[in-house]
């Protein structure tokens, strides 16, 4: 269900699945046909340079999605102090009905602001699958501060995560059972199939990206996707940097010359000095089995750590070196594409490198003049734990680096 109201320039559907979002490439695919469903999405302009996006699922009672969408619009109207406060407001509004035995309400609430480089999006999540950032550089990253479903947290447990989007970067939101759709073996779509689909669709327009996700859900379940499966994508156009002034004038005609572009300069932290990201976090990249992939993997690890507000670990270099050694080993002995995953559980950063080989890595002593054979001993010296996990197509060699203070 899509909702708008009478605020200036509300977003709306302007064609089959095309979403009007000035200055951005946006699309919505799937979704319920009427207000009787349990999933919803909202797209609302609430200031000259501020759009609220919300997607979610309301379980247990028909029509509750309509109420959730309406409340999200009201939160958009009153939004002025941050995503966290908006989430707390929504939580209070749903607290009276959360204990009525009619299920839970989960949603992602995001605020988008345009800037000269692209856009900034501030994200909060309440018991709902978080959006996935698809970087033009070829990697994906699950974003948003995770929190409990609305009406169950007593007003606490919500936070916000701000991410910058540049030309070619996209955010993918899902609802209506997309993440939990399961194949015959019981594997959820979000576990491996969604990341694989998004990595294969890097650089695609928003409409193509959304359609690819829905098509992959159908393939995953071996039939039709869930009836209310919803995919919403917002993406910075590839040419956004060609004439940024023209783009902003077109998208924000009411913005004054000294106007309110977001004050989040690239490279300047927007979080408290001791603030850590809310776990879990996961990012991944798919690389060819070539030596040139090793420096790409190092840059990926370093960039993800900075994006996750773990810059202190990036400066130490242990995660980057571990990634380099594990990736180098996979490149040296493998023939298939390699997946590099970074995860964070609140205490450790896990580096996992997956390939299509079932041969287990062997640690062997290296001679004084040997140029190889030192990778695994280096990883074992840096890591708090190391191991190998089998996968459907091969294995993942992993190492966990202590991230405690």
């Amino acid at each position: 269900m899509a909702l708008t109201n009478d605020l200036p320039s509300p977003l709306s559907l302007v064609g089959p699945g095309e979403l009007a979002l000035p200055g951005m490439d946006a699309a919505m695919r799937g979704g319920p046909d009427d207000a009787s469903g349990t999933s919803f999405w909202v797209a609302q302009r609430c200031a000259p340079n501020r759009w609220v996006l919300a997607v979610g699922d309301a379980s247990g009672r028909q029509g509750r999605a309509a109420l959730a969408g309406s409340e999200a619009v009201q939160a958009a109207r009153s939004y002025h102090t941050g995503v966290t406060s908006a989430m707390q407001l929504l939580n209070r509004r749903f607290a009276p009905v959360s204990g009525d035995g009619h299920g839970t309400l989960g949603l992602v609430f995001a605020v988008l602001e345009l800037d000269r480089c692209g856009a900034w999006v501030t994200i909060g999540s309440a018991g709902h699958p978080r959006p996935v950032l698809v970087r033009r550089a070829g990697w994906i990253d699950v974003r948003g501060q995770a929190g409990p479903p609305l009406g169950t947290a007593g007003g606490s447990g919500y936070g916000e995560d701000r991410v910058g989007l540049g030309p070619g970067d996209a955010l993918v939101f899902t609802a209506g059972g997309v993440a939990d759709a399961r194949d015959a073996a019981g594997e959820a779509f979000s576990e491996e199939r969604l990341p694989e689909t998004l990595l294969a669709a890097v650089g695609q327009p928003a409409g193509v990206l959304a359609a690819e996700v829905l098509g992959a859900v159908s393939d995953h379940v071996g039939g039709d996707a869930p009836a209310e499966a919803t995919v919403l994508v917002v993406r910075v156009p590839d040419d956004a940097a060609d004439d940024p002034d023209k783009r902003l004038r077109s998208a924000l005609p009411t913005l004054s010359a000294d106007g309110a572009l977001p004050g989040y300069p690239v490279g300047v932290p927007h979080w408290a000095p001791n603030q850590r990201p809310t776990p879990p976090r996961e990012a991944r990249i798919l690389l060819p089995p070539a030596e040139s992939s090793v420096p790409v993997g190092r840059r990926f690890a370093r960039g993800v750590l900075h994006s996750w507000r773990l810059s202190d670990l990036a400066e130490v270099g242990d995660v980057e070196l571990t990634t380099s050694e594990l990736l180098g080993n996979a490149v040296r002995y493998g023939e298939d594409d390699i997946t590099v995953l970074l995860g964070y559980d609140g205490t450790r950063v896990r580096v996992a490198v997956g390939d299509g080989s079932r041969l287990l890595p062997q640690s062997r002593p290296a001679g004084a003049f040997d140029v190889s054979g030192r990778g695994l001993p280096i990883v074992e010296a840096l890591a708090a734990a190391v191991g190998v996990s089998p996968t459907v197509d091969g294995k993942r060699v992993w190492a966990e680096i202590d991230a405690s203070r």
Side-chain angles (χ1 to χ4, degrees), residues 50-123:
R50 185 178 298 142
W51 289 263
V52 167
L53 306 172
V55 298
D57 293 290
S59 66
R61 186 170 65 186
Q62 192 177 48
R64 197 170 185 203
L67 175 61
S70 175
E71 291 290 353
V73 167
Q74 294 305 314
R77 285 180 181 274
S78 59
Y79 171 86
H80 58 88
T81 56
V83 165
T84 299
S85 63
M87 299 288 287
Q88 292 169 343
L89 172 63
L90 285 168
N91 181 72
R92 290 194 298 272
R93 286 180 174 175
F94 278 91
V97 298
S98 64
D100 61 5
H102 293 296
T104 60
L105 175 67
L107 90 162
V108 169
F109 188 93
V111 172
L112 184 146
E113 302 163 286
L114 301 183
D115 76 349
R116 290 182 57 82
C117 298
W120 290 92
V121 186
T122 308
I123 309 161

Side-chain angles (χ1 to χ4, degrees), residues 304-384:
V304 168
L305 290 178
H306 282 300
S307 181
W308 286 353
R309 307 194 304 272
L310 295 171
S311 297
D312 52 335
L313 291 181
E315 297 307 320
V316 171
D318 288 356
V319 173
E320 191 174 345
L321 179 56
T322 298
T323 303
S324 178
E325 295 298 338
L326 293 182
L327 183 54
N329 201 57
V331 165
R332 190 171 299 114
Y333 299 108
E335 298 179 352
D336 300 311
D337 285 345
I338 299 164
T339 304
V340 182
L341 298 94
L342 256 64
Y344 173 67
D345 65 2
T347 59
R348 293 179 177 180
V349 171
R350 171 180 278 222
V351 181
V353 175
D355 57 40
S357 171
R358 297 188 182 279
L359 294 176
L360 299 180
Q362 300 291 328
S363 180
R364 61 179 178 82
F369 300 102
D370 289 344
V371 295
S372 63
R374 304 181 189 277
L376 286 179
I378 290 174
V379 171
E380 290 168 348
L382 294 175

